[in-house]
Amino acid sequence: NTHPGAVAGSGLIRARGLELAARTGDLPPGSEVTWAVRPESIVLDAAGPHEAEVVDVVRLGAMSELILRLGELELTARTSDALEAEPASRLRVEIPAEAITVWPTGGRRPT
């Protein structure tokens, strides 16, 4: 789940038409960035701010790995809460700002 994007404002990035809250530090609006989120940090939440289409589901025992499409963006989520998820279904997700790592494009990724 590593993608290009741009800083849309303080604490906000834009990636393929999707706006996400993220810690952008002192990067000014318009800065090109790369951002990443771990699959287990994407939360299935009926009240989540983002609607996602389930593209694929891989059952891994107690866990499931879901390929989700949020607009033009595809993300992989790993969760134990996906029992009802099937391809072509829709669900809501939350991607916590603190779970997104942002760094300037061409810059060194933070550790």
Side-chain angles (χ1 to χ4, degrees), residues 12-111:
L12 192 64
I13 59 172
R14 183 174 296 119
R16 296 189 176 179
L18 184 69
E19 288 193 348
L20 298 167
R23 295 180 294 188
T24 57
D26 59 358
L27 293 170
S31 296
E32 291 186 17
V33 297
T34 302
W35 64 276
V37 61
R38 296 181 57 85
E40 58 274 11
S41 296
I42 298 172
V43 180
L44 305 185
D45 181 351
H50 304 289
E51 183 178 55
E53 176 187 357
V54 178
V55 175
D56 197 12
V57 179
V58 178
R59 309 273 186 223
L60 305 167
M63 301 290 288
S64 293
E65 196 166 274
L66 286 73
I67 306 299
L68 303 174
R69 184 173 296 128
L70 289 78
E72 298 174 29
L73 185 67
E74 276 196 8
L75 295 172
T76 300
R78 192 171 299 127
T79 181
S80 60
D81 297 333
L83 297 177
E84 303 298 319
E86 295 296 332
S89 64
R90 299 185 94 57
L91 47 81
R92 302 211 56 95
V93 299
E94 178 181 358
I95 306 170
E98 61 275 5
I100 298 175
T101 303
V102 177
W103 63 96
T105 298
R108 202 170 140 208
R109 181 179 179 176
T111 55

